[in-house]
């Protein structure tokens, strides 16, 4: 019987210890769910263990084939470029190793169900959904395609659920920011607002979303504002990661490159088309010497 490829989980990284531990605990739980399947996880930046260490762990366990799944909601620079480049580097470091690469997680109906649950937890049970406006807050990116995916998730969350509306904002790198998003909700007549962080785990940025929400609400006593929790290590998330793993193993990736800045010239981003692959080195990597701190994103389009 052929041994299935191992599962490598690639995370973004956070300076928040609780958020980093939530990722590591999630990886451990994946291993418990699939006994006999080697599972390891690492970060691109900011948190230990680095992705290279996770690959070395799998190789040390005798793994020669693995499928890498980015534990990320949208396909931004890390998922499009940094992780593929890092994996290519690890392949060079470990001759004889091969891998396939899965796609990011969202928006997926299973995650939309979790988001709906988080909203239900945050609102007063007496509230009519038709009187509730949701502000979905994403991480934010310099990649317009990634930001558009957050808007897509907002629209899908709105469909068929009866909310007054689902608006979108970002906590970094993109507009509108959280206060501007809340201002928009108010201008649209919202009196009951739930701010919903579009994040997998707790961390510095979700905490910032909550703080900015509280500050805005304190200055607007006429509005009822609630903060919802992050998605968290729900069964739906575990199932979805394993689904992405199976897709990668079978080669059924169905990646959408129609609006990718590395393939299509979008206004203001024309210089990104066709950029060459280059690893994105970070100080939390395994200490190999390099020149500079390469931030050139790469993107393989052999989908």
């Amino acid at each position: 019987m052929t041994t299935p490829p191992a599962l490598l989980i690639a995370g973004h990284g956070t300076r928040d210890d609780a958020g980093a531990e939530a990722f590591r605990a999630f990886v451990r739980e994946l291993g418990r769910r699939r006994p006999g399947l080697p599972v390891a996880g690492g970060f691109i930046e900011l948190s230990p263990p680095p992705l290279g260490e996770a690959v070395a762990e799998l190789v040390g366990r005798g793994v020669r084939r693995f499928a890498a799944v980015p534990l990320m909601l949208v396909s931004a620079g890390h998922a499009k470029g940094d992780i593929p480049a890092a994996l290519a580097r690890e392949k060079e470091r470990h001759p004889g190793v091969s891998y396939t690469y899965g796609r990011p997680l969202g928006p997926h109906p299973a995650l939309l169900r979790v988001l709906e649950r988080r909203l239900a937890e945050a609102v007063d049970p007496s509230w009519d959904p038709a009187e509730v406006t949701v502000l979905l807050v994403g991480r934010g990116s310099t990649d317009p395609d990634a930001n558009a995916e957050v808007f897509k998730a907002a629209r899908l969350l709105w469909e068929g659920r009866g909310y007054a509306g689902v608006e979108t904002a970002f906590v970094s790198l993109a507009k509108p920011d959280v206060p501007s998003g809340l201002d928009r909700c108010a201008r649209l007549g919202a009196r009951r607002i739930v701010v919903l962080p579009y994040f997998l785990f707790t961390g510095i940025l979700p905490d910032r979303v909550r703080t900015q929400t509280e500050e805005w609400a304190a200055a607007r006593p006429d509005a009822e504002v609630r903060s919802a929790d992050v998605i968290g290590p729900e069964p739906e998330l575990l199932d979805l990661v394993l689904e992405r793993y199976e897709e990668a193993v079978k080669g059924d990736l169905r990646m959408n490159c129609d609006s990718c800045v590395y393939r299509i010239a979008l206004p203001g981003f024309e210089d990104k088309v066709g950029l060459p692959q280059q690893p994105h080195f970070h100080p939390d990597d395994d200490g190999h010497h390099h020149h500079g701190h390469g931030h050139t994103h790469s993107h393989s389009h052999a989908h």
Side-chain angles (χ1 to χ4, degrees):
M1 182 177 177
T2 304
T3 303
L7 170 57
L8 175 70
I9 304 298
H12 181 283
T14 175
R15 291 187 177 88
D16 182 80
D17 291 339
E21 180 52 35
F23 170 91
R24 293 188 288 262
F26 184 80
V27 172
R28 292 193 294 270
E29 181 59 28
L30 279 168
R32 284 190 288 268
R33 275 198 162 215
R34 291 287 292 267
L37 175 66
V39 179
F43 296 103
I44 288 296
E45 62 180 339
L46 303 176
S47 319
L51 193 62
E53 186 176 304
V55 174
E57 175 191 335
L58 290 175
V59 172
R61 294 161 67 180
V63 167
R64 286 294 173 266
R65 296 186 304 139
F66 64 86
V69 174
L71 198 67
M72 298 172 184
L73 288 166
V74 301
S75 188
H78 284 298
K80 289 180 177 180
D82 298 332
I83 296 173
L87 292 174
R89 182 184 62 204
E90 295 307 317
K91 186 177 180 181
E92 292 179 0
R93 289 178 179 171
H94 304 283
V97 166
S98 63
Y99 66 89
T100 55
Y101 184 45
R103 57 179 173 144
L105 304 176
H108 188 280
L111 296 185
L112 295 174
R113 289 195 298 271
V114 179
L115 292 174
E116 188 175 14
R117 204 153 65 233
R118 293 291 176 258
L119 288 172
E121 294 164 356
V123 302
D124 188 305
S126 66
W127 288 7
D128 180 353
E131 299 177 348
V132 175
T133 298
V134 179
L135 182 65
L136 185 71
V137 181
R139 175 182 294 272
S141 172
T142 56
D143 185 332
D145 186 34
N147 295 330
E149 288 188 35
V150 181
F151 276 83
K152 181 177 180 179
R155 180 69 205 193
L156 289 171
L157 184 64
W158 190 8
E159 293 283 355
R161 290 177 173 84
Y163 300 115
V166 180
E167 298 298 318
T168 309
F170 302 95
V171 72
S172 66
L173 297 175
K175 295 179 179 180
D177 59 16
V178 174
S180 297
L182 286 164
D183 287 342
R184 175 176 169 80
C185 292
R187 287 197 299 270
L188 290 171
R191 287 295 176 265
R192 290 173 170 169
I193 305 169
V194 180
V195 177
L196 178 61
Y198 194 43
F199 286 81
L200 293 175
F201 303 124
T202 187
I204 290 174
L205 293 182
D207 287 349
R208 186 181 301 167
V209 173
R210 185 176 290 268
T211 298
Q212 292 178 352
T213 299
E214 291 171 351
E215 290 172 351
W216 187 91
R220 295 293 298 262
D222 55 321
E224 293 185 81
V225 185
R226 301 285 180 89
S227 291
D229 286 332
V230 295
I231 291 171
E234 295 292 285
E236 291 93 337
L237 181 58
L238 289 156
D239 290 341
L240 179 54
V241 169
L242 291 172
E243 180 180 322
R244 291 290 187 255
Y245 163 77
E246 296 292 346
E247 287 177 356
V249 170
K250 296 173 183 176
D252 180 23
L253 296 183
R254 293 173 289 181
M255 188 173 288
N256 175 22
C257 289
D258 292 342
S259 54
C260 173
V261 291
Y262 301 104
R263 176 186 285 268
I264 304 298
L266 297 180
F269 296 87
E270 294 85 354
D271 60 330
K272 290 184 177 291
V273 175
L275 283 180
Q277 290 223 2
Q278 180 176 327
H280 191 166
F281 290 102
H282 290 279
D284 288 324
D285 205 335
D286 56 8
H288 282 245
H289 296 291
H290 54 87
H291 298 287
H293 189 77
H295 282 275
T296 300
H297 292 305
S298 57
H299 191 11
S300 171
H301 287 281
H303 304 320

